Amino acid sequence: MTEEKMLKVEKIRRGTVIDHIPVGRAFKVLKILKISSDPGVTVSIAIHVKSKKMGLKDVVKIEDRILDSSELNKIALIADGATITIVEDYGVIKKFVVKLPDIITGILKCSNLKCVSNMEGSIIPSFTLISKEPLTIKCHYCEREMETEEIVENIL
Ligand code: CTP
Ligand code: ZN
């Protein structure tokens, strides 16, 4: 059976579909997009969906919302390789894959409270990607290394 035939949530008229999210991470995506604090947004979530590519995956559909580049980079931090589909009048108008950049700037803060990037308001936090599996990034300023859990907690 194709993935489409196994669709668990309805198609949307207009908005953004985030597909191929690693299983269990849908709620982290919602947290990043600050969905829970915004009652004006309609969201469908499918978790533990069977996928040929990934075994299991999560899917999030957000109606009437287009994500900006900073939001897309934040999604790449916890769902590198997720597929973003922009829907208009029930049709797909744009589709692309999010990719974690080698340098990650301005979307999360350093977990080291004494880091100069946390002390000086004018400094934009910046990290280098060290490894994708397990996800590890390194602060440009204090060289603190951060992994997934810490990364998610510190997303701005
Ligand atoms: N989608 C949706 N509402 C629409 C159109 C598409 O929710 N009006 C969703 C589909 O359910 C799918 C994603 O957007 O999760 C991509 O749509 P499409 O490219 O039509 O699906 P597929 O060809 O099955 O692509 P993929 O292999 O990426 O699942
Ligand atoms: Zn630091």
Side-chain angles (χ1 to χ4, degrees):
M1 208 188 286
T2 64
E3 282 183 36
E4 187 61 25
K5 282 184 184 142
M6 294 167 74
L7 197 67
K8 295 285 192 300
V9 288
E10 279 184 19
K11 296 224 164 202
I12 58 172
R13 189 179 67 77
R14 181 172 177 272
T16 302
V17 177
I18 309 163
D19 198 352
H20 307 117
I21 301 168
V23 69
R25 300 244 172 115
F27 295 105
K28 291 192 167 89
V29 170
L30 299 184
K31 189 183 171 206
I32 281 172
L33 299 177
K34 301 182 167 59
I35 296 292
S36 55
S37 59
D38 187 350
V41 182
T42 302
V43 181
S44 314
I45 307 157
I47 59 170
H48 309 163
V49 179
K50 287 201 184 79
S51 153
K52 270 190 207 133
K53 266 190 256 175
M54 310 174 70
L56 289 174
K57 66 174 182 180
D58 289 353
V59 184
V60 169
K61 300 187 182 190
I62 309 159
E63 292 182 45
D64 298 312
R65 184 156 159 194
I66 303 295
L67 307 180
D68 62 30
S69 62
S70 140
E71 290 173 318
L72 292 170
N73 280 331
K74 290 176 187 178
I75 288 173
L77 273 177
I78 57 143
D80 188 35
T83 307
I84 308 293
T85 303
I86 315 287
V87 175
E88 197 69 68
D89 281 328
Y90 287 101
V92 172
I93 59 161
K94 200 172 170 194
K95 196 167 170 176
F96 56 91
V97 172
V98 291
K99 187 179 174 297
L100 201 52
D102 293 330
I103 305 290
I104 300 145
T105 303
I107 57 171
L108 81 161
K109 57 182 169 57
C110 182
S111 60
N112 172 10
L113 296 178
K114 291 184 175 159
C115 177
V116 67
S117 68
N118 284 319
M119 314 288 276
E120 301 272 337
S122 59
I123 295 179
I124 297 168
S126 184
F127 302 83
T128 306
L129 180 63
I130 302 290
S131 140
K132 283 195 173 189
E133 278 300 331
L135 178 60
T136 312
I137 63 174
K138 187 173 167 181
C139 177
H140 178 84
Y141 296 97
C142 72
E143 306 208 322
R144 164 79 61 105
E145 291 195 3
M146 293 163 67
E147 291 192 7
T148 305
E149 285 310 311
E150 257 189 338
I151 289 170
V152 172
E153 276 168 30
N154 286 286
I155 288 174
L156 293 166

